[in-house]
Amino acid sequence: MKKIARSLMALFAASVVSLSISTPASAAGQGSACYTAHVAGNGWDANWSCNGNVVGTWGKNKALEALGVSIGGVGRYCVNAHLRDYGWQGERCSDGIGAIHSVTVGTTGQNRPIEALEIWTEYGYIHGVAHVQDMGWMDEAHGRTIRLGVTGKALKMEAVGLWF
């Protein structure tokens, strides 16, 4: 499954990512958040991380460029990314009818770091934390809608963790 997802992601390497991929079985549980990241110079993470485990890097000056997110147990959810020299990309939303599929935001192959993320859930509270260039770990955000990172300062998001 991961090979298929990686192959699909490679097809979109030069464009804004707008892709739905299957996620690991662990995402099917009530109130779970799983995610994977495309890191500048590293490519896509080989594994999905879930429920508070961090994806990305910190202290290495490497930006998150794309993020695949799968959230279970919250109904419909949407993710939006603020990209350097682009602005808000536009929401990518799950189907909300019980199928567990990820939504992917960001770009690959364009050197366009994610600067901020906004995540909305139909019901249930999500928590998140992000590491931002020159600012370090930001305060935890929580609620039905959360915003991580900063806009207007050209600071890249380097790592993120999500949980319930």
Side-chain angles (χ1 to χ4, degrees), residues 17-18 76-81 88-94 103-105 118-121 145:
V17 178
S18 175
R76 187 170 185 253
Y77 65 92
C78 299
V79 183
N80 196 355
W88 288 103
Q89 184 178 30
E91 288 184 338
R92 307 296 197 257
C93 299
S94 70
V103 296
T104 305
V105 295
E118 187 172 80
I119 303 170
W120 169 86
T121 61
T145 301

Side-chain angles (χ1 to χ4, degrees), residues 36-59:
T36 187
H38 185 278
V39 177
N42 291 358
W44 284 100
D45 285 344
N47 299 306
W48 286 77
S49 292
C50 298
N51 299 324
N53 292 312
V54 174
V55 295
T57 64
W58 56 97

Side-chain angles (χ1 to χ4, degrees), residues 7-19 38 44 65-67 83 86 89 92 104-112 114:
S7 296
L8 288 172
M9 287 179 203
L11 290 173
F12 292 92
S15 65
V16 173
V17 178
S18 175
L19 173 64
H38 185 278
W44 284 100
E65 293 183 329
L67 193 69
L83 309 177
Y86 186 86
Q89 184 178 30
R92 307 296 197 257
T104 305
V105 295
T107 63
T108 59
Q110 294 186 20
N111 192 26
R112 197 174 298 234
I114 293 175

